[in-house]
Amino acid sequence: AQSVTQLDSHVSVSEGTPVLLRCNYSSSYSPSLFWYVQHPNKGLQLLLKYTSAATLVKGINGFEAEFKKSETSFHLTKPSAHMSDAAEYFCVVSDGGTASKLTFGTGTRLQVTL
Amino acid sequence: DGGITQSPKYLFRKEGQNVTLSCEQNLNHDAMYWYRQDPGQGLRLIYYSQIVNDFQKGDIAEGYSVSREKKESFPLTVTSAQKNPTAFYLCASSKTGTGAFYEQYFGPGTRLTVT
């Protein structure tokens, strides 16, 4: 069985300051991990993915995440927040089966203030 | 312009009526998925299909039905047996392959309100 825990349901940062969204996972396999972003009333967009290559993964819009097996973590970071980053972020784990079934965290809402 | 389309964006129905949500993809993906999203609960898998004319139940399939007659299309019917049908429904697709980790691509979603 696999699971994902997003440690913060809501994070608020000031524009220009760093962003840290925390995610811990549990998986029986060597997992693949993803971060998706969702703006209000929209579908989900892939930010980045880890698939057992480099442990530091760079994504779109300046986001990156580091896979730490010893800590079972996959935290999402960005050096400087922008107003357009305000959205819901989901950490996701895949079981690697043929149909790549995904297990979603409950999401972290990022608020960016002036 | 490749992607996934869902229609309609907003849908209103009376309790006791069945309703079908459309999902079409032109990404040539073999697998397609339906998720339900409720506030504070993330996404939950309703049904998925790895190939035409075959589909499997997800974690919350009760009260829903699907068909996969064409590779490009995976409609979801919300039946009157679904106790709490009001939600945001998301369709997704992906490549398939044994041992592979393919990301899923999502449509824009359909917000269903049942009164």
Side-chain angles (χ1 to χ4, degrees), chain A residues 39-56:
Chain A
H39 289 90
N41 293 311
K42 302 290 186 184
L44 277 70
Q45 180 184 18
L46 180 69
L47 277 178
L48 50 82
K49 67 176 181 179
Y50 166 77
T51 56
S52 76
T55 56
L56 182 62

Side-chain angles (χ1 to χ4, degrees), chain A:
Chain A
Q2 58 190 25
S3 65
V4 170
T5 302
Q6 292 186 242
L7 299 168
D8 306 290
S9 60
H10 182 259
V11 170
S12 182
V13 301
S14 299
E15 190 175 34
T17 65
V19 175
L20 170 63
L21 305 183
R22 300 182 295 165
C23 173
N24 286 351
Y25 71 90
S26 173
S27 176
S28 302
Y29 307 86
S30 295
S32 184
L33 294 156
F34 308 83
W35 276 98
Y36 282 85
V37 61
Q38 184 182 33
H39 289 90
N41 293 311
K42 302 290 186 184
L44 277 70
Q45 180 184 18
L46 180 69
L47 277 178
L48 50 82
K49 67 176 181 179
Y50 166 77
T51 56
S52 76
T55 56
L56 182 62
V57 182
K58 294 188 182 299
I60 61 172
N61 300 334
F63 285 95
E64 63 181 37
E66 186 171 9
F67 175 74
K68 292 186 176 180
K69 186 174 181 179
S70 61
E71 299 176 10
T72 61
S73 69
F74 190 57
H75 301 334
L76 182 70
T77 61
K78 182 174 181 177
S80 176
H82 190 271
M83 294 297 289
S84 61
D85 294 328
E88 188 95 19
Y89 291 80
F90 293 96
C91 183
V92 183
V93 62
S94 171
D95 68 355
T98 306
S100 293
K101 287 177 63 179
L102 304 181
T103 299
F104 286 77
T106 53
T108 297
R109 180 163 298 280
L110 177 65
Q111 181 182 14
V112 182
T113 59
L114 289 172

